[in-house]
Amino acid sequence: MIRDSINFLKKHESSLYLWALVVGILDVLIGTTMIVKIYPIIGHLLHLLLLLALLYVFFKIFFVDDLKPIYLIGIFILIAFIFINGHVAREQNLLYTMVFLVGMKDVPIKKIIKTEIITTLSVLCIIILLSLFGVLPNLQFPRNGLIRNSLGFIYPLLLSSTVFFLNIALASYLVTNKISLKKKLAVTLAMAVATIATYLITDSRTDLLLNIAILIVIILSCFSLTLRNRYTKLLAELTPILIAFWTFISMIFYRNDRIWLALNSLFSNRLALVHEAYLKYIPGLLGQYIKQRGNGGKVSDVVNYFYIDSSFSRVLFMDGYIVFVAIMVLIAIGLGRLVSKDSASAAYLTMIVIITLIEGIFTDHMFFANSVALFILASQCMELINKPSKNHLKKVA
């Protein structure tokens, strides 16, 4: 009976995993909209479904996937450690994402990218339509004489971030599939229109610049303009080091001089907030709880506003040095294996991943299930442990 059940799960593991991933993406995206503020029961139900989805993926990892015991022990230690740190920090988003990443064994990355596109695009369109028809409120936030609209999301930056990660998924799909030039240009034009519209609605400068970078990569792929491998490889090797260096420098050495103030203004006061976090909460080896107050879900002024709006800084402060270093090592391994592949699509994917990592420096939305770049990196890391064990080969024989 148990063997039959495992065989059934093994036969349908790709489809079941993708449905579980859909639940994970829905939990992330719906959780950033006004739906959970107005109808909290929906948020609770989604989170319950997420736990069931994670339970399946956890079962898949330890009982369906053919992994060597040494890898299972390592995975268990990693997940347990992140769970304990998340429990202390009172935030488990990194744990949820890590389970999906580790559980993607034997699931084609192209199917994951397609699932991300369909799910994200569907949610984005539905939320915007609900806002335009007045079902969900459109929260408006003034900044520098401009009005930033959220269109159903709890904050404008969350709308622009959702569009950014959708563009990342679309770009990944375009550069890894054989698509006619006409269709590629049509999708690229649609992405450009969405980028401009999102900027006009949300006034998100960082996402605008990075979306433009994505479009440039797609255009290069459209006309088969190859990226020099040695430059791409050098950039891939330096990116994790530069991210770690920038995270520490911006945390410790923030100064009230012209350069830092200009950078802080460009990135909407994020550098100053990270430095403030360092003054209040020095990172340790393990996680810690940090009380934060953000603007999401309300338009009134927040008393004692404090929020760490950087994915890498959040991991460092809330999960500690051990998890931060582990993540940077995994990123370095994934990028190294990706850029080592002698193909144009791998070079374009490398640039797309690097653009996503840059987004993670200045926003807190990177380590979620709707981040395609993480799955691309994870797929490269999984190649190291994806070889069948001897027991499995004997069974096949």
Side-chain angles (χ1 to χ4, degrees):
M1 183 67 178
I2 296 177
R3 185 185 298 273
D4 292 338
S5 299
I6 293 178
N7 289 335
F8 173 83
L9 293 174
K10 183 70 176 176
K11 182 179 180 180
H12 302 283
E13 63 176 337
S14 180
S15 299
L16 291 172
Y17 174 87
L18 292 174
W19 278 110
L21 180 60
V22 168
V23 175
I25 300 170
L26 288 176
D27 181 74
V28 170
L29 296 179
I30 299 299
T32 63
T33 70
M34 291 302 295
I35 288 179
V36 296
K37 298 291 183 181
I38 301 174
Y39 311 104
I41 186 63
I42 295 179
H44 296 320
L45 289 174
L46 267 177
H47 198 68
L48 178 60
L49 289 175
L50 172 65
L51 295 179
L52 294 175
L54 291 171
L55 183 62
Y56 161 72
V57 178
F58 201 84
F59 182 86
K60 174 181 180 295
I61 294 170
F62 287 93
F63 298 100
V64 179
D65 292 341
D66 188 57
L67 294 172
K68 295 179 180 180
I70 186 65
Y71 293 135
L72 291 176
I73 294 172
I75 289 170
F76 180 81
I77 293 174
L78 175 65
I79 291 177
F81 193 78
I82 293 177
F83 169 77
I84 294 171
N85 276 339
H87 179 72
V88 174
R90 304 183 192 179
E91 184 175 288
Q92 294 288 8
N93 292 318
L94 182 60
L95 171 70
Y96 303 152
T97 304
M98 187 61 67
V99 172
F100 281 117
L101 295 177
V102 175
M104 67 175 291
K105 182 179 182 294
D106 297 328
V107 181
I109 184 62
K110 290 185 178 182
K111 288 187 177 181
I112 292 177
I113 293 173
K114 195 172 182 179
T115 300
E116 294 273 5
I117 293 172
I118 295 173
T119 309
T120 303
L121 182 60
S122 300
V123 172
L124 183 64
C125 292
I126 290 172
I127 297 302
I128 291 176
L129 286 174
L130 289 176
S131 177
L132 293 176
F133 284 106
V135 178
L136 295 178
N138 172 33
L139 302 184
Q140 296 181 319
F141 299 82
R143 184 175 74 177
N144 299 330
L146 298 174
I147 298 297
R148 309 171 72 199
N149 296 275
S150 62
L151 293 183
F153 287 80
I154 62 176
Y155 196 70
L157 184 60
L158 294 169
L159 169 59
S160 64
S161 176
T162 302
V163 173
F164 170 81
F165 283 108
L166 175 60
N167 282 345
I168 286 289
L170 286 167
S172 302
Y173 182 82
L174 291 177
V175 302
T176 55
N177 288 274
K178 293 182 179 180
I179 303 172
S180 66
L181 178 61
K182 186 176 180 180
K183 289 183 179 179
K184 266 192 177 182
L185 292 176
V187 174
T188 305
L189 178 60
M191 292 169 62
V193 172
T195 295
I196 296 172
T198 303
Y199 174 70
L200 295 175
I201 293 169
T202 65
D203 189 38
S204 177
R205 296 183 292 267
T206 304
D207 285 332
L208 172 66
L209 296 175
L210 294 177
N211 276 318
I212 292 174
I214 296 170
L215 294 173
I216 292 174
V217 173
I218 297 175
I219 292 173
L220 290 174
S221 72
C222 284
F223 299 99
S224 300
L225 300 175
T226 57
L227 301 168
R228 289 186 177 271
N229 187 57
R230 59 178 179 177
Y231 296 143
T232 307
K233 185 177 181 180
L234 178 62
L235 186 58
E237 292 172 347
L238 288 177
T239 295
I241 299 173
L242 293 175
I243 289 175
F245 178 77
W246 174 258
T247 301
F248 285 104
I249 290 297
S250 62
M251 174 181 71
I252 300 173
F253 296 106
Y254 180 80
R255 295 289 184 271
N256 288 322
D257 57 29
R258 183 178 299 177
I259 296 177
W260 279 109
L261 290 175
L263 288 172
N264 188 53
S265 176
L266 176 63
F267 299 115
S268 306
N269 202 41
R270 291 185 179 92
L271 302 183
L273 289 173
V274 170
H275 181 63
E276 183 182 346
Y278 173 72
L279 297 177
K280 292 180 177 179
Y281 307 94
I282 297 177
L285 290 176
L286 305 178
Q288 62 179 325
Y289 171 65
I290 298 178
K291 189 175 182 179
Q292 301 176 69
R293 296 184 181 90
N295 286 323
K298 45 189 174 294
V299 293
S300 57
D301 293 334
V302 176
V303 180
N304 297 324
Y305 176 89
F306 174 70
Y307 191 79
I308 304 175
D309 204 359
S310 166
S311 297
F312 292 102
S313 296
R314 289 181 73 84
V315 171
L316 178 59
F317 279 98
M318 300 174 66
D319 294 285
Y321 282 106
I322 296 177
V323 174
F324 179 80
V325 172
I327 287 177
M328 298 311 299
V329 169
L330 291 174
I331 289 175
I333 293 173
L335 273 176
R337 289 189 60 84
L338 182 60
V339 78
S340 66
K341 300 181 185 301
D342 189 20
S343 67
S345 61
Y348 298 133
L349 275 181
T350 301
M351 296 308 301
I352 291 170
V353 169
I354 290 174
I355 292 170
T356 308
L357 295 176
I358 295 174
E359 165 87 356
I361 298 175
F362 301 109
T363 69
D364 68 325
H365 317 308
M366 199 189 86
F367 295 110
F368 289 92
N370 65 323
S371 179
V372 164
L374 295 181
F375 289 93
I376 294 172
L377 291 174
S379 68
Q380 302 305 305
C381 294
M382 289 301 293
E383 289 181 0
L384 294 173
I385 62 176
N386 209 22
K387 296 179 181 179
S389 65
K390 292 182 180 179
N391 291 333
H392 179 69
L393 292 176
K394 290 179 180 179
K395 291 178 182 178
V396 173

